[in-house]
Structure formats: structure tokens, C-alpha cells
Amino acid sequence: MTSPNHIVGGIAITGISLSFWDINIFSNSTYLSLCIFSSLLPDIDHTKSVLGKVFFPLARYLDKNFGHRTITHSLSCLLPLFIFFLFIELNLINPYFERNGTDYSLIFLFAFLSHLILDMLTVQGIPLFYPFMKNPCVIPANPTLRFRSGNIKSEAIALFIFTFVLFTSYDLFENGFWTTYN
């Protein structure tokens, strides 16, 4: 998928998931910025991606040594980054800013995970358990039902769906799951 779909899809998936914790990613510009950054982060291994251009030396290193959609598109990257981010939030951010909770870590987790889920919807899939298993994980199993990365028609359909979900779920984002549906 392309960056616009990862951004809009990441916001939709993260917003819906975090409504269970009563976290509104639209309530704070830091939340939304973190969501956008985290939903694009796995593509840092591709030198032509948005973050790959910003962090070009790192992107070139990752692309040269691992390739695109390998190490950064796996749980072996997500879990250590999440634990590191959780540690930073609990031990540095929260005491310094006198706040409680793990809002930032949860936003990071779900936005990063949204990227992985969206890339599993493509024909190529991703090696979710890389480096232990290098075969791609895909959703759904039938290749004719998956999106083609870079195909304008597929990308436009996905963008329309994600935008529709965003607009129809705004009340859910604003009030949280338990208030909206109970």
C-alpha cells in the first residue's frame, strides 16, 4: 500500500482500537502525529518511502542488508520497539510531564500494527515472523481478493473505504467504545 492509505488506514484502525481504552487520537495533536509517524515507520526500510527519504542513511542500510518488507515488517521489530517505547514513556515522559498512563505506547503499538495488517492485505504479504520464518503472511488466502500495491484502482478503493470508516466512526473516537455502544 502507499503512504496515504497507510496514514488514513492507520488512523482508522488505531482510532477504533483505542476507543476501547477511551483514547481519542483526535483530542491531541501529539496523538495524531504519533499515529501518522508510527503507521509509516515500517516502511523506513525503503529508500523511496516518506520516512525512508527523511532517514535516508538508515533506510539505505536496512534496504541493502535486509530488503524491503522484511525485518521492519515483522513482530521481531514491533515487540522490542513497543517495549522500548513503553519503558521510555513510563520512566521518562510520564515523570517529567507529571502524567499517568500508556497512551503514547498504545498509539504506537496499534499504528505500527495497522501498517503490518494493511500490508498483509496485499498480494505480496509480509514475513510476519521474520527472521524465524520468511514465508509471507497474507489476508485473505485467495490472492485474487488481495490488493495490489501501487495499483491506482486498488489504492483508490482502499482510500475510499478508510476515509468512509473515519467519517462514520468519529463519534466512536470522540466518546469511546463503552460510552458509545452501552
Side-chain angles (χ1 to χ4, degrees):
M1 294 219 165
T2 56
S3 295
N5 280 329
H6 279 300
I7 291 170
V8 178
I11 291 170
I13 292 171
T14 304
I16 291 169
S17 301
L18 291 178
S19 69
F20 287 96
W21 282 270
D22 290 328
I23 300 171
N24 180 4
I25 59 172
F26 292 108
S27 67
N28 185 336
S29 62
T30 307
Y31 287 176
L32 193 58
S33 301
L34 177 62
C35 180
I36 292 169
F37 177 80
S38 301
S39 66
L40 294 175
L41 187 59
D43 278 341
I44 199 166
D45 63 355
H46 187 47
T47 55
K48 294 186 178 168
S49 69
V50 173
L51 290 182
K53 291 176 183 176
V54 173
F55 301 104
F56 184 77
L58 177 61
R60 187 176 56 201
Y61 172 80
L62 289 170
D63 192 26
K64 183 179 177 185
N65 292 316
F66 298 102
H68 181 52
R69 287 191 178 190
T70 55
I71 192 75
T72 60
H73 286 73
S74 68
L75 294 177
S76 60
C77 179
L78 172 60
L79 294 177
L81 283 175
F82 171 68
I83 291 168
F84 173 74
F85 204 89
L86 185 63
F87 176 81
I88 295 295
E89 182 175 19
L90 293 175
N91 294 304
L92 297 176
I93 297 172
N94 286 356
Y96 184 74
F97 291 104
E98 298 176 359
R99 56 182 298 276
N100 294 319
T102 57
D103 299 356
Y104 297 135
S105 299
L106 288 172
I107 291 169
F108 171 79
L109 175 69
F110 284 107
F112 196 104
L113 192 59
S114 74
H115 186 106
L116 302 183
I117 291 168
L118 294 176
D119 277 353
M120 284 194 295
L121 293 171
T122 63
V123 174
Q124 307 92 298
I126 59 166
L128 192 60
F129 303 104
Y130 187 89
F132 308 109
M133 294 173 59
K134 296 180 181 176
N135 56 325
C137 293
V138 292
I139 306 170
N142 185 351
T144 59
L145 299 176
R146 293 185 228 140
F147 290 100
R148 296 203 172 278
S149 293
N151 181 327
I152 298 202
K153 184 178 178 183
S154 294
E155 297 284 343
I157 291 169
L159 188 63
F160 174 77
I161 291 169
F162 297 141
T163 306
F164 179 76
V165 168
L166 271 177
F167 284 118
T168 57
S169 301
Y170 189 76
D171 185 51
L172 177 68
F173 300 153
E174 192 172 306
N175 299 317
F177 179 82
W178 306 111
T179 306
T180 303
Y181 292 104
N182 283 337

